[in-house]
Amino acid sequence: MGQQISDQTQLVLNKLPEKVAKHVTLVRESGSLTYEEFLGRVAELNDVTAKVASGQDKHLLFEVQPGSDASAFWKVVVRVVCTKINKSRGIVEASRIMNLYQFIQLYKDITSQAAEVLAQTSTSEEPDENSSSVTSCQASLWMGRVKQLTDEEECCICMDGRADLILPCAHNFCQKCIDKW
């Protein structure tokens, strides 16, 4: 019986527009994610970005914002800080804060892209010009994706403010509207 429901759910998901299906998959994944798995993904993302950025000036660092994961409702309130660091100059070039939903999207994007980049570099003995130019600016490309993810959310109530919070129902709200309601 449970398998029938699962098969029916997959059938319905296959008929949804791609963006909606991706959203449903991400919401489902975040719902079943344990805190330990989440911390493992943060660590894995740091490892993956460090491997891809080895020998480069810039790399990304991910960390859980202190205190944002202290609640029993950590999935709603946790924030992940993504910092772009210039290693040669020893400075932070950019920093963005993501919620869990945005982090999961970025995790999927980076791990799949990094797997391709690492596979290309391990199979080719001589790096071609295209692959070296792509990997040399990989941190900047990924930081652009972080910016895109964090800028595209708008509040479902006022449709004006940038959404700071995503509730378990997956609706986005700005802090001003949450405080008001």
Side-chain angles (χ1 to χ4, degrees), residues 44-45 48 105-119 142:
E44 180 185 354
L45 217 46
V48 166
Q105 284 181 302
L106 186 70
Y107 171 83
K108 286 180 168 289
D109 292 347
I110 288 179
T111 53
S112 66
Q113 290 173 12
E116 291 174 19
V117 168
L118 293 171
W142 286 335

Side-chain angles (χ1 to χ4, degrees), residues 107-175:
Y107 171 83
K108 286 180 168 289
D109 292 347
I110 288 179
T111 53
S112 66
Q113 290 173 12
E116 291 174 19
V117 168
L118 293 171
Q120 286 176 353
T121 57
S122 68
T123 57
S124 65
E125 294 172 13
E126 293 181 29
D128 64 8
E129 291 177 21
N130 291 339
S131 68
S132 65
S133 66
V134 168
T135 57
S136 68
C137 62
Q138 199 67 56
S140 296
L141 291 171
W142 286 335
M143 195 64 185
R145 178 65 175 135
V146 172
K147 183 179 181 333
Q148 179 187 22
L149 286 170
T150 56
D151 283 349
E152 70 184 21
E153 305 289 338
E154 69 177 19
C155 178
C156 290
I157 297 174
C158 66
M159 304 296 271
D160 191 26
R162 194 178 117 243
D164 300 313
L165 304 171
I166 296 181
L167 298 183
C169 61
H171 291 98
N172 306 313
F173 300 99
C174 65
Q175 190 65 48

Side-chain angles (χ1 to χ4, degrees), residues 64-81:
V64 177
Q65 189 175 36
S68 70
D69 59 343
S71 166
F73 301 107
W74 68 270
K75 289 181 183 181
V76 177
V77 297
V78 72
R79 296 295 179 260
V80 178
V81 181

Side-chain angles (χ1 to χ4, degrees), residues 58-107:
K58 300 174 185 177
H59 77 280
L60 296 183
L61 179 66
F62 298 90
E63 60 187 341
V64 177
Q65 189 175 36
S68 70
D69 59 343
S71 166
F73 301 107
W74 68 270
K75 289 181 183 181
V76 177
V77 297
V78 72
R79 296 295 179 260
V80 178
V81 181
C82 175
T83 307
K84 180 178 162 188
I85 300 171
N86 186 320
K87 294 185 284 189
S88 63
R89 297 190 337 196
I91 61 168
V92 171
E93 289 191 353
S95 185
R96 288 281 181 151
I97 299 174
M98 299 176 288
N99 59 36
L100 180 63
Y101 181 81
Q102 293 162 337
F103 174 77
I104 291 173
Q105 284 181 302
L106 186 70
Y107 171 83

